[in-house]
């Protein structure tokens, strides 16, 4: 929509000015009044639509927020968290959060260097082959918190794993 925003703004402005010019010939005050009413009505509909969009999206990443708050309650200030949702987890957990490598070598080096307490896997960020890490490193990773898409708890959308040890 951004590429058409400027031409659309010009078109609406020209249309409003055209209506203003027609009415101004008969009564200038009425023309100004109608111009202001059209601007206010258009603004109202834009604000109503923006509010609708904001409210529909406000809980879209609620599981990331909830998991980060859970990790905040269950960790120390100096603990490290591995997550692909670095910004959100850092904000809510208030812990040092960083991404983890795209391959096993980088992952192992990051774990040995940072000794994270938790690692988070979710559907909200692309994980690629790293989604296999809980099965590959099952002796080191223990699921401690999970969030599901369904009430039957069959489709996990976010899982928090705790590092039991750092021997990968």
């Amino acid at each position: 929509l951004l590429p058409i925003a400027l031409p659309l703004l010009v078109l609406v402005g020209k249309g409003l000015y055209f209506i203003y010019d027609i009415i101004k010939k008969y009564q200038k005050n009425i023309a100004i009044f109608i111009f202001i009413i059209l601007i206010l009505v258009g603004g109202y509909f834009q604000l109503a639509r923006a509010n609708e969009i904001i409210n529909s999206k406000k809980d879209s990443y609620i599981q990331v927020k909830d998991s980060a708050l859970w990790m905040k309650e269950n960790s120390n200030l100096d603990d490290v968290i591995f997550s692909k949702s670095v910004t959100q987890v850092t904000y809510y957990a208030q812990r040092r959060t960083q991404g983890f490598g795209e391959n096993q070598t980088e992952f192992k080096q990051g774990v040995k260097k940072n000794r994270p307490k938790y690692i988070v896997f979710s559907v909200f960020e692309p994980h690629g082959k790293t989604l296999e890490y809980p099965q590959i490193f099952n002796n080191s990773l223990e699921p401690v918190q999970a969030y599901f898409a369904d009430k039957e708890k069959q489709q996990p959308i976010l899982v928090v794993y705790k590092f039991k040890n750092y021997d990968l």
Side-chain angles (χ1 to χ4, degrees), residues 39-106:
I39 294 291
L40 291 175
V41 167
Y44 170 77
F45 284 115
Q46 289 298 313
L47 288 174
R49 178 70 178 136
N51 189 46
E52 180 184 317
I53 291 170
I54 290 168
N55 285 330
S56 72
K57 303 280 185 190
K58 71 180 179 182
D59 292 331
S60 61
Y61 278 73
I62 194 72
Q63 294 85 0
V64 175
K65 176 184 177 183
D66 290 345
S67 68
L69 292 173
W70 182 87
M71 288 183 283
K72 178 181 178 182
E73 293 172 8
N74 294 283
S75 64
N76 299 319
L77 280 172
D78 58 339
D79 286 335
V80 177
I81 299 169
F82 276 8
S83 176
K84 295 286 185 174
S85 303
V86 174
T87 306
Q88 298 94 322
V89 173
T90 301
Y91 178 79
Y92 290 113
Q94 297 177 352
R95 303 292 182 262
R96 195 178 96 187
T97 307
Q98 62 184 68
F100 46 93
E102 295 298 321
N103 60 54
Q104 287 186 28
T105 305
E106 291 175 5

Side-chain angles (χ1 to χ4, degrees), residues 16-27:
L16 285 173
Y17 194 69
F18 177 75
I19 292 170
Y20 172 77
D21 277 345
I22 291 173
I23 299 172
K24 182 175 76 168
K25 293 177 187 174
Y26 304 105
Q27 182 70 5

